[in-house]
Amino acid sequence: MPHPLLAAGPGETLLLLGNEAIVRGAVEAGVNFVSCYPGTPSSEVPDTFFRLSPDGAYTFEYSVNEKVALEVAGGATLGGAMTLCTMKHVGVNVAADPLMTLAYTGTPGGLVLLSADDPGCHSSQNEQDNRYYARLAGMPVFEPSTAQECKDMTRDALLLSRKTGSPVLLRTTTRVNHLRGPVVCGPVSAPAKPAGFAKNPSLFVPIPAFARPMHTRLLERIETLRAEAETSAYNMVSGQGSLGVIATGISRAYLHDALLDSGLTGKVKVLELGQSAPLPEKLVLDFLSGLDAVLVAEELEPILENEVRVLAQKNKLSLAVHGKEMLPRFGEFNTGVLAEAVKSLAGEGEFVCASCEPAEGLPMRPPNLCAGCPHRAAYYAVRQVFGNDAVYSSDIGCYTLGILPPLSCADFLLCMGSSVSAGSGLSKATGQTVVAFIGDSTFFHSGVTGLINAVYNEHDLLLVILDNRTTAMTGHQPNPGVDATNLGENPSKVDIEAVCRGCGVTNLLKVNPLNVEKTKAALEELRRAKGVRVLLTEEPCPLFARRVYRKKPKMAAYVDAGYDASEGVLEKLACPAFRLCDGKMSIDELMCNGCMVCVQLSENIKARKRGA
Amino acid sequence: MSNVKPLRIFMTGVGGQGTLTATTLLAKAALLRGLPVTSGEIHGMAQRGGVVESTLLIGLKSPKIGPGEADILLGFEPLESLRALTYLRRDGLVFSSSEAIPPLSVATGQHACPDLDAVRARIAEWTGKAWYIPCQTIGIQAGAAQSGNIALLGAAAEGGAFPFGPDALEEAIKADMKPKIAEINLKALELGRKAVA
């Protein structure tokens, strides 16, 4: 039976994650083509498309990186396909090159780019505000705040893109991607057959002579899009009074609750901008007239605030514009933060937060490599061989968690794929020994280009490719190298070892990292050599193996009575299944994943059948 | 929406405990009773043994709960109940598991962790309305350790925490889960109810 996301009829209510609602919105619009690179908080969008793909009327692919995903999407929309491309905020940096030019060529079939921003850095290396990209490219922006809007805005953004030929940015934030709420479904449109590409180089080949008129057409299109925003149903005015608040994205939800909690609902004039760019200037001017002061509530950068200031100045308005001097420019807002700001501007006294002091000194519970994770074994071996004598260049994935002591195998990190190139730059500049780590998916994403560069420029680098046969951190998405996915075998595998050799790596060793002695011996051998060297460690992620290969561990490790704490296995390996109680180590059989690495480190740690 | 009494429920636990499954089930039960519901979750790296926090709000729009705002705190692990106490309003309700899952630094002896008595004492300073349930034991008794999350929901529903009774949870379980898993969870729900009755 097809999934409710595909099959639900008009008027039916589903309880959906924001990311699932985005999928439904695209299905309602009649989407033809979906490409992506996964990344939290966006990942459930492509994962849901992938899971439903046997029954869906669309074409779906996991692309190798965000630039490729957007280029593939760009080709599809130029051929007339209604297209959605999804990624997280930092992914748009990778895709920025084709994005700027797609805004010039236009997107005949319709193209929506989902950028999932991450205020608060819940799972990201920065808090960049991708609404700047929309201004840079000249694209309209939709910013949903509820599951219903995730659905409706995705549909309407695709339809607007198809109508106007402009790519559209659907900008979510972690809270929106990962909220859950009721969604009333609309009718599903059967995807229209793509019209096919109509040759016209002056429209689609941006050589300078053609690019100049493309730019002027883009500037004209921005005004068309502004007119759309002026009358958008997502831009709503409510309440009255001399104090106004302009809110966008999830701030709209916080504002709603803040006014409710403060008894100010209806007593403050509110402009919610769901379709927030290009700025609907007439609507905003009309809203501002008669106000003494306005507060602009937007997470991260003061983008709307500055646009409102410019508008007010151009029109000689004397009202006070408030924003980032009251509300933080980092992290997330919440209801209390907005209640505090609005109450103080309304002269309603202070908002008092009646919470107890956070408990101090509690042990932290940071995310950690799972019990049985092959990365722990690889890091353990590297630390045994190199200790503190090497600089460890890290990359983006589960294995970044190797930063935690006692493994301490992450000294610096820039972005996806940087472990290879930044690592070889450091070694070239300083002569220090560098060991770089990269996962399989990240290697295909952008590690391979750094490797080609390292070979060509004769860098001195040991690259450890941690291949766990899946993209583990974001939820086990396939990549070109995997053997299988939850939909079955991967029929067109790309072999990492052959790729490395094809790139010119002559010194490559391959090991199962769960074999500690062999891994250490391989590392010793590579340590003695010079130039670009690769150690390929291959062993599936145990969570993935359990889910997809139905592989359950048969054995568990246990600590024999003869174990002496001075053997240091507990401190050096720090597996989450280990326990120390009254100076004695034990192993929690429920947690143990049966990797048997600890068994190799002490003759007093042994294997036995589970439950024995 | 205006005639519904706003309610904020904060949930916290350890990755792998089923905190998010419980959140979704609770949201479905609320929706079955026609309540305007929003829930939120923060995860990502959390499945790797980190803290999972989720929220459920009724009659409100935000998916987030700030310090001092929660009416109810559901803690699937006692240390995490204590850590999240700052989100609870004065005299709010606490339903917590009494069974600890030590963080790695505690399991390897680097840090000490407050025991259950210390957790209870600290929570008692902020609210007198707290209940402690051996969730994992009840879960194992029902047929799967993971169903301890549903036992906690059962306890809270029995304790009158929600604007609907355990029957709504029962309906949601039956509508949402495969028969074999539903059976285990219905049993966990029942045992959780008995634990506070």
Side-chain angles (χ1 to χ4, degrees):
Chain A
M1 201 180 79
H3 193 277
L5 273 173
L6 296 176
E12 213 172 307
T13 301
L14 302 175
L15 182 73
L16 298 180
L17 197 65
N19 280 344
E20 295 170 332
I22 289 170
V23 173
R24 172 69 190 195
V27 168
E28 287 187 7
V31 73
N32 294 112
F33 194 94
V34 184
S35 62
C36 74
Y37 188 78
T40 311
S42 76
S43 303
E44 293 88 357
V45 178
D47 292 356
T48 305
F49 275 115
F50 179 56
R51 208 169 61 242
L52 308 185
S53 57
D55 295 319
Y58 52 82
T59 302
F60 170 80
E61 77 167 46
Y62 286 107
S63 303
V64 291
N65 68 29
E66 294 86 353
K67 179 173 186 281
V68 172
L70 188 59
E71 288 162 349
V72 168
T77 187
L78 291 178
M82 183 186 278
T83 303
L84 176 67
C85 184
T86 79
M87 55 194 65
K88 68 182 293 180
H89 61 326
V90 288
V92 180
N93 301 334
V94 179
D97 204 357
L99 181 61
M100 295 306 129
T101 306
L102 274 167
Y104 272 37
T105 60
T107 53
L111 172 66
V112 168
L113 172 62
L114 166 68
S115 162
D117 289 11
D118 190 17
C121 289
H122 293 286
S123 54
S124 311
Q125 64 266 44
N126 73 26
E127 289 189 291
Q128 69 183 47
D129 189 332
N130 278 12
R131 295 177 302 158
Y132 278 130
Y133 272 117
R135 270 69 175 183
L136 190 58
M139 300 159 80
V141 179
F142 285 74
E143 295 186 70
S145 70
T146 62
Q148 183 75 47
E149 285 182 353
C150 284
K151 194 272 279 177
D152 293 341
M153 285 189 180
T154 305
R155 178 197 60 206
D156 293 344
L158 281 163
L159 296 175
L160 177 70
S161 176
R162 198 174 177 103
K163 184 173 107 177
T164 61
S166 171
V168 177
L169 188 75
L170 180 66
R171 190 255 190 170
T172 57
T173 53
T174 303
R175 289 285 163 187
V176 176
N177 295 94
H178 289 168
L179 62 72
R180 202 179 285 274
V183 175
V184 182
C185 294
V188 167
S189 302
K193 194 171 180 294
F197 182 66
K199 290 187 188 218
N200 187 340
S202 70
L203 290 182
F204 302 123
V205 186
I207 56 171
F210 295 156
R212 288 180 209 115
M214 283 181 192
H215 191 190
T216 56
R217 280 197 299 274
L218 168 60
L219 296 172
E220 285 161 18
R221 197 169 64 212
I222 292 173
E223 294 317 309
T224 310
L225 292 162
R226 197 185 305 282
E228 292 279 345
E230 296 283 1
T231 57
S232 168
Y234 296 118
N235 296 336
M236 297 164 277
V237 178
S238 61
Q240 47 199 309
S242 58
L243 171 64
V245 183
I246 299 177
T248 187
I250 196 65
S251 307
R252 293 159 54 208
Y254 300 141
L255 178 67
H256 172 273
D257 294 353
L259 295 176
L260 196 67
D261 287 352
S262 314
L264 288 170
T265 305
K267 296 174 190 162
V268 171
K269 211 171 152 191
V270 173
L271 170 59
E272 293 185 52
L273 288 180
Q275 189 175 338
S276 58
L279 188 72
E281 293 182 347
K282 286 197 200 85
L283 178 68
V284 174
L285 267 180
D286 190 43
F287 176 78
L288 296 178
S289 72
L291 293 182
D292 295 333
V294 69
L295 172 70
V296 183
E298 56 190 326
E299 285 183 333
L300 299 178
E301 292 296 298
I303 297 176
L304 272 175
E305 181 188 336
N306 289 342
E307 288 179 345
V308 169
R309 280 183 197 286
V310 169
L311 192 67
Q313 195 270 347
K314 273 186 185 165
N315 290 277
K316 303 186 171 55
L317 300 182
S318 61
L319 86 170
V321 180
H322 300 284
K324 290 299 166 187
E325 86 282 13
M326 305 188 80
L327 297 166
R329 195 170 171 170
F330 60 90
E332 294 184 289
F333 291 175
N334 59 43
T335 302
V337 164
L338 280 176
E340 196 176 336
V342 174
K343 280 191 96 169
S344 77
L345 284 176
E348 292 266 330
E350 278 190 29
F351 172 81
V352 185
C353 166
S355 64
C356 65
E357 288 294 310
E360 279 178 25
L362 294 185
M364 299 301 287
R365 197 188 292 274
N368 188 2
L369 295 172
C370 304
C373 176
H375 300 336
R376 173 179 288 98
Y379 282 134
Y380 172 81
V382 168
R383 187 140 274 286
Q384 289 295 299
V385 172
F386 285 89
N388 276 329
D389 297 340
V391 181
Y392 297 118
S393 178
S394 192
D395 220 305
I396 309 275
C398 285
Y399 49 94
T400 319
L401 297 172
I403 189 174
L404 294 176
L407 302 170
S408 308
C409 277
D411 293 327
F412 66 97
L413 166 60
L414 299 178
C415 61
M416 289 284 288
S418 70
S419 64
V420 192
S421 29
S424 52
L426 192 143
S427 114
K428 188 95 173 175
T430 66
Q432 286 177 281
T433 302
V434 175
V435 179
F437 298 99
I438 196 165
D440 43 340
S441 183
T442 315
F443 176 77
F444 289 117
H445 177 284
S446 48
V448 65
T449 45
L451 184 62
I452 293 167
N453 185 67
V455 169
Y456 169 61
N457 284 298
E458 299 180 335
H459 288 141
D460 186 38
L461 179 84
L462 171 55
L463 174 65
V464 181
I465 303 177
L466 302 157
D467 182 0
N468 62 1
R469 316 306 294 144
T470 185
T471 314
M473 171 142 274
T474 45
H476 300 130
Q477 292 82 6
N479 65 58
V482 304
D483 303 300
T485 72
N486 52 10
L487 293 186
E489 294 251 320
N490 171 18
S492 339
K493 261 193 285 190
V494 179
D495 179 349
I496 293 182
E497 181 178 350
V499 169
C500 290
R501 295 201 188 278
C503 292
V505 176
T506 50
N507 197 353
L508 182 147
L509 296 173
K510 187 172 168 181
V511 292
N512 181 334
L514 300 185
N515 186 327
V516 178
E517 281 314 310
K518 281 200 173 148
T519 305
K520 277 166 69 179
L523 284 162
E524 290 286 3
E525 187 181 333
L526 293 169
R527 182 184 195 171
R528 288 189 294 270
K530 284 274 160 212
V532 178
R533 296 145 285 156
V534 171
L535 178 68
L536 179 56
T537 71
E538 191 185 289
E539 171 64 20
C541 160
L543 301 185
F544 179 71
R546 198 174 283 208
R547 195 180 302 172
V548 172
Y549 307 141
R550 307 270 166 212
K551 191 177 140 192
K552 281 187 191 163
K554 294 191 181 72
M555 308 292 281
Y558 74 99
V559 180
D560 196 54
Y563 182 83
D564 177 351
S566 67
E567 290 172 44
V569 179
L570 180 109
E571 295 86 349
K572 280 187 210 152
L573 201 58
C575 171
F578 294 170
R579 299 279 178 271
L580 187 71
C581 197
D582 300 327
K584 280 197 71 77
M585 176 179 156
S586 63
I587 295 171
D588 182 340
E589 188 178 306
L590 276 176
M591 294 273 284
C592 174
N593 258 319
C595 73
M596 299 303 154
V597 168
C598 58
V599 174
Q600 300 165 56
L601 305 185
S602 164
E603 57 186 27
N604 293 312
I605 300 178
K606 293 177 177 158
R608 68 179 167 206
K609 262 187 110 167
R610 289 188 167 261
Chain B
M1 201 185 253
S2 55
N3 52 358
V4 176
K5 192 170 168 252
L7 185 77
R8 293 174 165 102
I9 305 167
F10 192 95
M11 281 161 268
T12 182
V14 179
Q17 273 198 303
T19 306
L20 301 182
T21 310
T23 309
T24 308
L25 191 78
L26 197 58
K28 287 197 169 154
L31 202 59
L32 278 175
R33 291 292 176 267
L35 295 164
V37 63
T38 304
S39 79
E41 51 195 61
I42 285 297
H43 52 81
M45 314 214 294
Q47 69 169 311
R48 274 138 270 272
V51 180
V52 178
E53 293 176 346
S54 62
T55 61
L56 188 122
L57 298 94
I58 291 169
L60 293 153
K61 262 190 151 174
S62 160
K64 198 176 171 190
I65 294 174
E69 285 182 356
D71 301 290
I72 303 165
L73 170 61
L74 300 180
F76 296 87
E77 201 280 338
L79 172 64
E80 297 318 318
S81 302
L82 180 55
R83 204 192 306 275
L85 188 62
T86 186
Y87 290 103
L88 191 72
R89 67 168 166 77
R90 185 106 216 178
D91 295 322
L93 307 184
V94 175
F95 290 86
S96 173
S97 173
S98 58
E99 295 171 332
I101 300 173
L104 189 66
S105 65
V106 174
T108 55
Q110 292 154 290
H111 284 118
C113 186
D115 63 11
L116 185 63
D117 286 340
V119 170
R120 294 176 77 126
R122 176 74 198 254
I123 290 175
E125 288 169 22
W126 189 245
T127 177
K129 298 168 191 162
W131 290 264
Y132 299 86
I133 297 106
C135 291
Q136 193 174 321
T137 303
I138 291 180
I140 291 169
Q141 208 181 330
Q146 290 90 335
S147 69
N149 58 355
I150 307 300
L152 195 70
L153 293 188
E158 187 68 27
F162 309 134
F164 46 83
D167 51 319
L169 286 165
E170 222 177 281
E171 278 176 52
I173 290 172
K174 286 179 186 161
D176 208 39
M177 295 177 177
K178 287 181 189 155
K180 210 172 144 191
I181 300 169
E183 198 186 318
I184 292 170
N185 282 302
L186 288 170
K187 199 164 170 203
L189 184 75
E190 186 59 33
L191 291 170
R193 291 178 64 182
K194 281 189 183 146
V196 290

